[in-house]
Amino acid sequence: MPDPDNDLEARLAVLEREVARLREQTALTSAGEMREGFTAAHAEMREGFAKTREGFAKQAVGTAQITALLTKIAGPESLD
């Protein structure tokens, strides 16, 4: 006849291994999700920086055009 105490110990050992495996799987999944989130945030940040640089470049061109028009209208001596 099977010993109920040994059966319980065996079942407990299996359960403990399964819990350990699930913890490892959860940790790996969480790390992967965090990595994906970081990668997405980093890409968005780089896109934001690119748009900012583009905006400043357009603003610099606009400023140069305004300066050229004012210089043409008022003459170079008016800029001093």
Side-chain angles (χ1 to χ4, degrees):
M1 193 152 150
D3 183 4
D5 288 336
N6 283 340
D7 186 44
L8 181 60
E9 288 179 18
R11 288 172 46 200
L12 182 59
V14 169
L15 184 59
E16 287 173 339
R17 285 193 299 272
E18 184 65 17
V19 168
R21 185 187 69 76
L22 289 172
R23 282 184 179 154
E24 288 178 22
Q25 183 179 355
T26 300
L28 291 174
T29 300
S30 295
E33 289 171 354
M34 286 175 50
R35 190 174 300 114
E36 288 173 8
F38 176 78
T39 301
H42 189 255
E44 289 177 22
M45 182 183 69
R46 291 178 62 86
E47 184 179 330
F49 284 151
K51 288 181 180 179
T52 300
R53 281 192 296 275
E54 181 181 327
F56 277 122
K58 287 180 181 178
Q59 189 251 347
V61 169
T63 301
Q65 291 173 340
I66 290 169
T67 302
L69 287 172
L70 290 174
T71 302
K72 184 177 179 181
I73 294 169
E77 64 279 348
S78 65
L79 295 177
D80 293 332

